[in-house]
């Protein structure tokens, strides 16, 4: 009862989430985990951070499906409020190592190996997730909008087939987000984007350039003028 509530669980509740259960043990009964107990304090914090519930939808980020506020605000709140900004890029990297192994083991096939990534995850999609890790790590030091903007620019530059220099102008952010969303159909989608009516294009330019973060904006040369 003295630990109630913990992550939304109250005295007498059964903790059904294995991450929450492990987090509880590490926080209050670390002696039950000798390998964890023997770590340095900084290393313990890194391991405990892997069990945090960040409300982070990785697919939203990889495919630029949402504005930076919706993607990262909860993530940053956890870093600042719960961990007092003591979490580094290295700690965020470890979190994603845990995320990757957790997803790999979600459908265990002991005799056949890791089928999740081999047969059920298209290689381009898996590569996109892996490529995104280094950008998500930057949320420990950069704003939500800065992180997403840098990611969008790199996705444009690295696209195959090449699309030329990073776009500028009122449609730039919209085009870069459409590239991520459309994936293998990006070339056709971007071509048809140029043939939209003025009204439809302006709507997409404005809506897809919103950040959802007070006081933040994409670079001025990438978004519509106010």
């Amino acid at each position: 009862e003295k630990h109630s509530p913990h992550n939304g669980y109250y005295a007498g509740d059964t903790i059904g989430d294995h991450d929450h259960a492990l987090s509880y043990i590490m926080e209050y009964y670390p002696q039950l985990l000798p390998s964890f107990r023997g770590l340095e304090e900084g290393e313990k914090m890194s391991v405990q951070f892997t069990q945090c519930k960040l409300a982070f939808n990785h697919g939203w980020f990889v495919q630029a499906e949402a504005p930076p506020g919706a993607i990262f605000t909860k993530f940053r709140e956890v870093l600042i409020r719960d961990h007092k900004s003591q979490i580094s890029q290295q700690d965020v990297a470890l979190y994603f190592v845990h995320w990757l192994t957790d997803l790999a083991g979600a459908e265990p096939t002991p005799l056949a190996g890791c089928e999740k990534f081999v047969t059920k995850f298209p290689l381009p999609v898996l590569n996109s997730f892996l490529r995104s890790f280094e950008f998500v790590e930057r949320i420990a030091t950069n704003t939500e909008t800065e992180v997403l903007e840098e990611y969008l620019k790199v996705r444009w530059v690295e696209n195959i087939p090449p699309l030329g220099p990073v776009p500028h102008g009122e449609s730039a952010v919209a085009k870069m987000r459409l590239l991520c969303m459309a994936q293998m159909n990006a070339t056709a989608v971007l071509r048809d984007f140029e043939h939209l009516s003025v009204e439809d294009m302006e709507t997409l330019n404005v809506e897809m350039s919103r950040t959802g973060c007070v006081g933040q904006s994409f670079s001025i040369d990438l978004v519509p003028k106010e």
Side-chain angles (χ1 to χ4, degrees):
E1 293 184 358
K2 64 181 180 180
H3 301 149
S4 178
H6 177 80
N7 281 332
Y9 294 94
Y10 292 85
D13 289 348
T14 298
I15 300 179
D17 186 296
H18 67 276
D19 286 333
H20 282 159
L22 183 56
S23 175
Y24 178 78
I25 293 172
M26 287 192 294
E27 185 170 351
Y28 296 111
Y29 301 100
Q31 69 275 12
L32 298 178
L33 302 168
S35 59
F36 175 73
R37 182 183 59 188
L39 296 174
E40 298 290 338
E41 288 305 314
E43 294 172 330
K44 287 181 181 178
M45 182 184 295
S46 295
V47 174
Q48 285 179 296
F49 181 66
T50 66
Q51 306 306 310
C52 287
K53 292 303 180 185
L54 300 178
F56 176 65
N57 187 318
H58 207 148
W60 282 3
F61 177 66
V62 170
Q63 296 178 184
E65 295 175 3
I71 297 171
F72 284 122
T73 295
K74 174 62 177 177
F75 200 142
R76 280 184 60 81
E77 284 179 356
V78 171
L79 296 182
I80 296 170
R81 182 194 63 216
D82 298 345
H83 295 274
K84 300 177 176 60
S85 298
Q86 296 177 352
I87 298 300
S88 66
Q89 289 188 350
Q90 178 178 319
D91 300 321
V92 178
L94 180 61
Y95 174 88
F96 283 108
V97 170
H98 167 262
W99 176 87
L100 191 66
T101 57
D102 205 31
L103 182 60
E107 300 176 19
T109 51
L111 299 181
C114 179
E115 291 186 348
K116 184 72 173 182
F117 289 140
V118 175
T119 64
K120 300 181 180 180
F121 234 72
L123 186 57
V125 176
L126 178 58
N127 285 339
S128 295
F129 274 85
L130 296 176
R131 183 70 179 93
S132 73
F133 287 174
E134 71 170 274
F135 294 93
V136 181
E137 293 168 21
R138 299 176 190 177
I139 200 63
T141 55
N142 294 19
T143 68
E144 296 93 325
T145 305
E146 287 172 342
V147 172
L148 184 58
E149 181 175 322
E150 287 305 308
Y151 173 72
L152 291 176
K153 289 177 177 177
V154 169
R155 282 292 303 271
W156 184 279
V157 170
E158 295 182 351
N159 188 71
I160 298 175
L163 295 170
V166 171
H168 292 277
E170 297 188 350
S171 297
V173 169
K175 288 179 178 179
M176 290 189 286
R177 286 186 60 185
L178 287 170
L179 165 74
C180 296
M181 293 179 191
Q183 300 184 58
M184 304 303 292
N185 297 309
T187 301
V189 169
L190 290 171
R191 181 186 63 241
D192 291 343
F193 176 80
E194 299 295 343
H195 299 292
L196 291 174
S197 68
V198 172
E199 182 180 0
D200 288 344
M201 185 179 292
E202 288 180 349
T203 298
L204 283 175
N205 291 345
V206 170
E207 293 299 324
M208 299 184 81
S209 297
R210 298 188 188 279
T211 66
C213 298
V214 177
Q216 293 184 30
S217 174
F218 290 103
S219 295
I220 193 170
D221 60 334
L222 303 179
V223 296
K225 296 179 177 61
E226 294 184 359

